[in-house]
Amino acid sequence: MSELIAFIGVGNMGLPMAENLMKSGKKIKVFDVSKMTIDIAKEKKLDVVKNLDDLITTEVSTVITMLPEGKHSKEVFLGDNGVINKVSKDCLLIDCSTIDIQTSKEIGKKATEKGIQMIDAPVSGGVMGAQKATLNIMVGGSKKAFDLALPLLKIMGKNIFHAGDLGSGNGAKICNNMSLGIAMIAASESLMLAKRLNIDIKKVHEIMKNASGNSWPISVYPPLPDLIEGTPSSNNYRPGFSAGMMNKDLKLANDCAKSVNADTPLGKLALEIYEKFCKEGNDAKDFSAISKEIGGDAWDYPID
């Protein structure tokens, strides 16, 4: 077989991931349903195809997907003209989408029935991580499938974790993002409290980075501007990782908790806060813009 990678879904995250594969010398073709996204991919010199029929052939050695929701992954893989019905059994399938565990397992079962190796491999690290190839990638699938995918995953990410059987990657990602959503709200509350107390926010931020209140939203991805250069909050809250996507992931976490009778009160409250924020028309803003919801009348920063 040719070493041809088919990459489906080249939006904010998928595009830099596909770019890194191309820059590493891999032969790659891409497709997306959005014309605007495809135009950007063309500007980046990626080899773009017009439709999935042209992209998915028996010559493809690997299919990588980065799609918004489980219904999109299900349609791409299991639809009447889906990937699983078109590729060779020697093809490796890598779904980097963050989706519900059940759908991930359903797709994987169909792949296994046809003798096709598949992993779920959702990522964490945002657009900056995708651009710098420093993503954390959480993988579910057999050891054989993981080993086959590892060389490609190392091109796109820095920390690669084999979480367990198929679906475990998404399970781990959902747990991680529930914690992240809660932590971003906590960071926003702390920094906005400092603002209301008329304490220098930059000094409070520096203290928190070096004290027990530190977290990823504090040290890497702060919810207020001018604390760390290059973050979405310092770029009018352009994503990054959108509030809408965080809201989706918190819904997945809440659904998972219900399915196993787990009590996650902070996860549930975080979902309620993000749902309200998104319903107010902020779903396309970076998820760190939740500081606007937290800050109320004390929040006075620019936002697109």
Side-chain angles (χ1 to χ4, degrees):
M1 290 180 67
S2 64
E3 293 296 321
L4 174 61
I5 300 169
F7 202 114
I8 305 169
V10 283
N12 288 338
M13 293 292 292
L15 180 61
M17 292 167 68
E19 272 193 281
N20 286 330
L21 289 168
M22 178 184 69
K23 290 174 182 176
S24 74
K26 298 298 181 183
K27 184 180 179 183
I28 180 169
K29 293 186 178 183
V30 306
F31 172 76
D32 197 286
V33 294
S34 166
K35 183 181 182 304
M36 182 176 70
T37 298
I38 283 300
D39 288 342
I40 295 172
K42 287 179 180 177
E43 291 174 6
K44 298 290 186 178
K45 309 301 182 185
L46 283 161
D47 187 354
V48 174
V49 299
K50 294 181 180 179
N51 54 60
L52 283 178
D53 286 334
D54 291 339
L55 180 65
I56 305 301
T57 69
T58 54
E59 295 302 310
V60 170
S61 60
T62 306
V63 177
I64 302 175
T65 50
M66 176 57 88
L67 303 167
E69 297 182 43
K71 62 183 180 182
H72 303 114
S73 290
K74 192 170 182 177
E75 177 61 26
V76 165
F77 284 106
L78 302 183
D80 293 338
N81 203 27
V83 167
I84 285 177
N85 291 324
K86 298 185 70 177
V87 297
S88 159
K89 69 176 183 179
D90 295 319
C91 185
L92 172 65
L93 308 181
I94 302 175
D95 189 9
C96 291
S97 318
T98 299
I99 62 175
D100 61 285
I101 297 171
Q102 189 57 42
T103 296
S104 188
K105 288 182 176 180
E106 182 181 350
I107 297 169
K109 181 181 178 183
K110 293 292 185 182
T112 300
E113 288 173 356
K114 289 184 172 287
I116 300 170
Q117 298 291 328
M118 181 172 187
I119 61 170
D120 60 307
V123 307
S124 177
V127 173
M128 288 190 297
Q131 291 170 340
K132 297 177 181 178
T134 57
L135 292 169
N136 299 300
I137 305 179
M138 294 144 272
V139 180
S142 69
K143 181 65 164 56
K144 179 180 179 181
F146 175 76
D147 289 341
L148 287 171
L150 191 56
L152 294 178
L153 299 179
K154 285 182 175 179
I155 295 171
M156 298 183 288
K158 182 179 180 181
N159 299 305
I160 319 297
F161 304 97
H162 188 196
D165 295 337
L166 200 76
S168 299
N170 272 301
K173 170 67 184 293
I174 289 166
C175 293
N176 178 79
N177 275 25
M178 181 176 71
S179 180
L180 175 60
I182 294 167
M184 185 58 78
I185 292 170
S188 298
E189 287 186 350
S190 300
L191 293 174
M192 287 307 303
L193 177 59
K195 182 178 175 65
R196 287 182 181 274
L197 293 171
N198 294 316
I199 305 173
D200 187 327
I201 291 177
K202 289 187 177 181
K203 290 182 180 179
V204 173
H205 177 249
E206 187 63 26
I207 290 167
M208 291 182 71
K209 279 200 303 181
N210 292 280
S212 56
N214 194 17
S215 64
W216 193 82
I218 290 292
S219 62
V220 177
Y221 208 96
L224 297 184
D226 304 322
L227 297 177
I228 295 179
E229 186 179 348
T231 57
S233 60
S234 295
N235 191 27
N236 295 339
Y237 294 95
R238 298 187 184 100
F241 182 65
S242 72
M245 296 302 288
M246 174 54 78
N247 189 49
K248 181 205 77 170
D249 289 357
L250 288 168
K251 285 180 181 177
L252 290 174
N254 192 53
D255 289 344
C256 282
K258 288 179 180 177
S259 73
V260 293
N261 296 316
D263 188 19
T264 55
L266 291 181
K268 183 178 179 181
L269 181 57
L271 172 59
E272 291 172 0
I273 292 170
Y274 270 97
E275 277 188 330
K276 181 176 183 291
F277 186 61
C278 290
K279 286 177 180 177
E280 292 169 350
N282 299 299
D283 56 307
K285 309 294 188 295
D286 189 78
F287 85 108
S288 61
I290 198 67
S291 55
K292 183 178 189 295
E293 188 72 22
I294 301 301
D297 59 6
W299 197 94
D300 56 2
Y301 300 103
I303 186 169
D304 282 347

